[in-house]
Short mmCIF file of all heavy atoms in Angstrom, two decimals:
data_model
loop_
_atom_site.label_atom_id
_atom_site.label_comp_id
_atom_site.label_asym_id
_atom_site.label_seq_id
_atom_site.Cartn_x
_atom_site.Cartn_y
_atom_site.Cartn_z
N ASN B 66 0.52 -11.78 -31.17
CA ASN B 66 0.46 -13.21 -30.86
C ASN B 66 -0.14 -13.55 -29.50
O ASN B 66 -0.11 -14.70 -29.09
CB ASN B 66 1.84 -13.87 -30.97
CG ASN B 66 2.27 -13.98 -32.42
OD1 ASN B 66 1.44 -14.22 -33.31
ND2 ASN B 66 3.55 -13.75 -32.68
N VAL B 67 -0.65 -12.56 -28.80
CA VAL B 67 -1.34 -12.84 -27.53
C VAL B 67 -2.84 -12.90 -27.81
O VAL B 67 -3.41 -11.94 -28.32
CB VAL B 67 -1.07 -11.74 -26.48
CG1 VAL B 67 -1.78 -12.06 -25.17
CG2 VAL B 67 0.43 -11.56 -26.27
N PRO B 68 -3.48 -14.05 -27.54
CA PRO B 68 -4.91 -14.14 -27.78
C PRO B 68 -5.66 -13.21 -26.82
O PRO B 68 -5.39 -13.21 -25.62
CB PRO B 68 -5.27 -15.60 -27.49
CG PRO B 68 -4.01 -16.28 -27.13
CD PRO B 68 -2.93 -15.29 -26.94
N ILE B 69 -6.57 -12.45 -27.37
CA ILE B 69 -7.34 -11.49 -26.55
C ILE B 69 -8.79 -11.93 -26.58
O ILE B 69 -9.47 -11.83 -27.60
CB ILE B 69 -7.24 -10.07 -27.13
CG1 ILE B 69 -5.79 -9.63 -27.38
CG2 ILE B 69 -7.97 -9.08 -26.25
CD1 ILE B 69 -4.95 -9.45 -26.16
N LYS B 70 -9.25 -12.47 -25.48
CA LYS B 70 -10.66 -12.90 -25.43
C LYS B 70 -11.12 -12.94 -23.97
O LYS B 70 -10.46 -13.56 -23.14
CB LYS B 70 -10.79 -14.29 -26.07
CG LYS B 70 -12.17 -14.95 -25.96
CD LYS B 70 -13.13 -14.37 -26.99
CE LYS B 70 -14.49 -15.07 -26.93
NZ LYS B 70 -15.54 -14.25 -27.52
N ASP B 71 -12.24 -12.30 -23.71
CA ASP B 71 -12.84 -12.31 -22.38
C ASP B 71 -11.83 -12.05 -21.25
O ASP B 71 -11.76 -12.79 -20.29
CB ASP B 71 -13.54 -13.65 -22.12
CG ASP B 71 -14.71 -13.85 -23.05
OD1 ASP B 71 -15.31 -12.82 -23.45
OD2 ASP B 71 -15.02 -15.00 -23.38
N LEU B 72 -11.04 -11.01 -21.42
CA LEU B 72 -10.08 -10.67 -20.37
C LEU B 72 -10.83 -10.08 -19.18
O LEU B 72 -11.83 -9.39 -19.36
CB LEU B 72 -9.11 -9.61 -20.89
CG LEU B 72 -8.25 -9.99 -22.08
CD1 LEU B 72 -7.44 -8.77 -22.52
CD2 LEU B 72 -7.32 -11.13 -21.70
N ASP B 73 -10.33 -10.37 -17.98
CA ASP B 73 -10.94 -9.64 -16.85
C ASP B 73 -10.40 -8.21 -16.89
O ASP B 73 -9.39 -7.91 -17.53
CB ASP B 73 -10.67 -10.34 -15.52
CG ASP B 73 -9.23 -10.27 -15.09
OD1 ASP B 73 -8.71 -9.15 -14.93
OD2 ASP B 73 -8.61 -11.34 -14.92
N GLU B 74 -11.09 -7.33 -16.19
CA GLU B 74 -10.80 -5.90 -16.33
C GLU B 74 -9.38 -5.53 -15.92
O GLU B 74 -8.76 -4.64 -16.51
CB GLU B 74 -11.81 -5.07 -15.54
CG GLU B 74 -12.76 -4.25 -16.40
CD GLU B 74 -12.06 -3.47 -17.50
OE1 GLU B 74 -11.09 -2.74 -17.21
OE2 GLU B 74 -12.45 -3.61 -18.67
N THR B 75 -8.87 -6.22 -14.91
CA THR B 75 -7.53 -5.88 -14.45
C THR B 75 -6.50 -6.18 -15.54
O THR B 75 -5.61 -5.38 -15.83
CB THR B 75 -7.20 -6.68 -13.18
OG1 THR B 75 -8.23 -6.45 -12.22
CG2 THR B 75 -5.87 -6.27 -12.60
N LYS B 76 -6.67 -7.35 -16.17
CA LYS B 76 -5.74 -7.75 -17.23
C LYS B 76 -5.92 -6.83 -18.45
O LYS B 76 -4.92 -6.38 -19.04
CB LYS B 76 -6.02 -9.20 -17.63
CG LYS B 76 -4.78 -9.88 -18.14
CD LYS B 76 -4.91 -11.39 -18.06
CE LYS B 76 -3.53 -12.02 -18.07
NZ LYS B 76 -3.63 -13.45 -17.76
N ALA B 77 -7.18 -6.57 -18.80
CA ALA B 77 -7.45 -5.70 -19.94
C ALA B 77 -6.79 -4.35 -19.72
O ALA B 77 -6.18 -3.78 -20.63
CB ALA B 77 -8.95 -5.54 -20.13
N ALA B 78 -6.89 -3.82 -18.47
CA ALA B 78 -6.30 -2.53 -18.17
C ALA B 78 -4.79 -2.57 -18.38
O ALA B 78 -4.19 -1.65 -18.94
CB ALA B 78 -6.62 -2.14 -16.73
N LYS B 79 -4.19 -3.68 -17.94
CA LYS B 79 -2.75 -3.82 -18.07
C LYS B 79 -2.34 -3.86 -19.55
O LYS B 79 -1.39 -3.20 -19.96
CB LYS B 79 -2.31 -5.10 -17.36
CG LYS B 79 -0.89 -5.06 -16.85
CD LYS B 79 -0.57 -6.26 -15.98
CE LYS B 79 0.73 -6.90 -16.45
NZ LYS B 79 0.84 -8.28 -15.95
N TYR B 80 -3.06 -4.65 -20.34
CA TYR B 80 -2.76 -4.76 -21.78
C TYR B 80 -2.96 -3.43 -22.48
O TYR B 80 -2.16 -3.03 -23.32
CB TYR B 80 -3.64 -5.83 -22.43
CG TYR B 80 -3.21 -7.25 -22.14
CD1 TYR B 80 -2.11 -7.52 -21.32
CD2 TYR B 80 -3.89 -8.33 -22.69
CE1 TYR B 80 -1.72 -8.82 -21.06
CE2 TYR B 80 -3.51 -9.63 -22.43
CZ TYR B 80 -2.42 -9.87 -21.61
OH TYR B 80 -2.03 -11.14 -21.35
N ARG B 81 -4.07 -2.77 -22.16
CA ARG B 81 -4.33 -1.47 -22.77
C ARG B 81 -3.17 -0.53 -22.49
O ARG B 81 -2.70 0.18 -23.36
CB ARG B 81 -5.63 -0.86 -22.21
CG ARG B 81 -6.89 -1.37 -22.83
CD ARG B 81 -8.06 -0.44 -22.55
NE ARG B 81 -8.44 -0.38 -21.15
CZ ARG B 81 -9.36 -1.18 -20.60
NH1 ARG B 81 -9.99 -2.09 -21.32
NH2 ARG B 81 -9.65 -1.07 -19.34
N ASN B 82 -2.74 -0.57 -21.25
CA ASN B 82 -1.69 0.32 -20.83
C ASN B 82 -0.38 0.02 -21.55
O ASN B 82 0.36 0.92 -21.93
CB ASN B 82 -1.52 0.21 -19.31
CG ASN B 82 -0.63 1.29 -18.75
OD1 ASN B 82 0.58 1.16 -18.80
ND2 ASN B 82 -1.24 2.35 -18.25
N LYS B 83 -0.11 -1.28 -21.73
CA LYS B 83 1.17 -1.69 -22.28
C LYS B 83 1.19 -1.69 -23.81
O LYS B 83 2.19 -1.33 -24.42
CB LYS B 83 1.48 -3.11 -21.79
CG LYS B 83 2.74 -3.18 -20.95
CD LYS B 83 2.89 -4.52 -20.27
CE LYS B 83 3.49 -5.59 -21.17
NZ LYS B 83 3.57 -6.89 -20.42
N PHE B 84 0.07 -2.14 -24.42
CA PHE B 84 0.08 -2.39 -25.86
C PHE B 84 -0.56 -1.30 -26.70
O PHE B 84 -0.29 -1.19 -27.88
CB PHE B 84 -0.66 -3.71 -26.17
CG PHE B 84 0.00 -4.92 -25.59
CD1 PHE B 84 -0.75 -5.97 -25.08
CD2 PHE B 84 1.39 -5.03 -25.58
CE1 PHE B 84 -0.14 -7.09 -24.55
CE2 PHE B 84 2.01 -6.15 -25.06
CZ PHE B 84 1.25 -7.18 -24.53
N LEU B 85 -1.47 -0.52 -26.08
CA LEU B 85 -2.33 0.33 -26.90
C LEU B 85 -2.32 1.79 -26.47
O LEU B 85 -2.21 2.09 -25.29
CB LEU B 85 -3.78 -0.17 -26.81
CG LEU B 85 -3.99 -1.62 -27.25
CD1 LEU B 85 -5.32 -2.12 -26.75
CD2 LEU B 85 -3.89 -1.72 -28.76
N GLY B 86 -2.45 2.65 -27.48
CA GLY B 86 -2.64 4.06 -27.19
C GLY B 86 -3.89 4.52 -27.92
O GLY B 86 -4.12 4.16 -29.06
#
Side-chain angles (χ1 to χ4, degrees):
Chain B
N66 289 323
V67 181
I69 308 293
K70 174 79 178 159
D71 295 330
L72 299 175
D73 69 59
E74 248 313 308
T75 305
K76 208 159 202 170
K79 207 171 130 199
Y80 283 1
R81 279 197 293 269
N82 191 278
K83 242 170 82 181
F84 296 143
L85 302 163

